[in-house]
Amino acid sequence: MEEIDEVFAHLQQLVDEIPSMEALGARLDAARAALDVVDAESHRVGQVNQEARVRTYYDDHMAAREAALAAGDAEAEQAAREAALQCGNMLAIRRGAREDAERKLEQALSAGGFASVDEARESLMPPEELEHETARLRAYQDDYASTLQRARELEG
């Protein structure tokens, strides 16, 4: 078989693989988008937990303040009030961070076309598989480009 026949036969094989390679590309895109969603969810959970801890500190200081008031201990009441005010400031910061994390999660869900974090998790791929399949798709694209170029050179 002449080189031109071999090149065009290989090009036809590559053309026949286009639908499966497009599907692989879509699957890889979904896996990467799912990873963004899972990362955003993890960050959101961390922010929720930090806010809850600060809320607990605030509540503890407010309870200490109430106890100091009931006991008539002005010095302890003052210290507890100041600590509660500091925690209130930290709570506002943590609330803002949590809200930002929630917005970023919603953006990641929307960008990936997922309705929920659970749906995104279904599209995850193990890192080794993601790497392997990405390399396979790149190899296909490279092979397609070089085969097409060679076919054009032989034809012209």
Side-chain angles (χ1 to χ4, degrees):
M1 185 182 267
E2 290 185 36
E3 181 183 7
I4 194 165
D5 293 332
E6 290 176 17
V7 168
F8 277 96
H10 184 60
L11 184 59
Q12 183 59 51
Q13 289 174 331
L14 293 170
V15 167
D16 292 343
E17 290 181 49
I18 288 175
S20 66
M21 289 295 119
E22 287 176 339
L24 176 59
R27 190 167 157 238
L28 291 170
D29 289 344
R32 288 186 195 99
L35 190 56
D36 290 343
V37 168
V38 170
D39 288 346
E41 170 64 359
S42 177
H43 181 68
R44 185 198 67 80
V45 168
Q47 294 304 318
V48 166
N49 291 339
Q50 287 182 21
E51 183 182 6
R53 273 193 300 278
V54 173
R55 166 62 70 185
T56 299
Y57 299 147
Y58 175 82
D59 291 344
D60 290 348
H61 290 301
M62 289 302 289
R65 179 180 176 269
E66 292 300 319
L69 277 172
D73 186 344
E75 191 174 306
E77 186 274 333
Q78 170 87 17
R81 183 169 19 99
E82 288 174 5
L85 285 172
Q86 288 177 352
C87 285
N89 288 336
M90 290 185 341
L91 188 58
I93 292 167
R94 292 291 84 206
R95 184 178 301 117
R98 176 193 42 84
E99 290 171 354
D100 184 56
E102 288 171 348
R103 275 190 298 279
K104 288 179 179 176
L105 173 59
E106 289 303 316
Q107 289 170 347
L109 285 165
S110 177
F114 300 111
S116 68
V117 174
D118 288 337
E119 182 182 330
R121 282 191 176 108
E122 292 173 10
S123 293
L124 286 173
M125 290 176 125
E128 310 81 39
E129 181 181 358
L130 182 62
E131 187 177 318
H132 171 75
E133 294 298 331
T134 298
R136 186 167 75 98
L137 182 59
R138 281 192 190 124
Y140 169 82
Q141 291 168 332
D142 291 346
D143 188 18
Y144 189 92
S146 64
T147 301
L148 184 60
Q149 178 62 35
R150 185 66 184 141
R152 286 180 179 150
E153 289 169 0
L154 290 171
E155 198 174 48

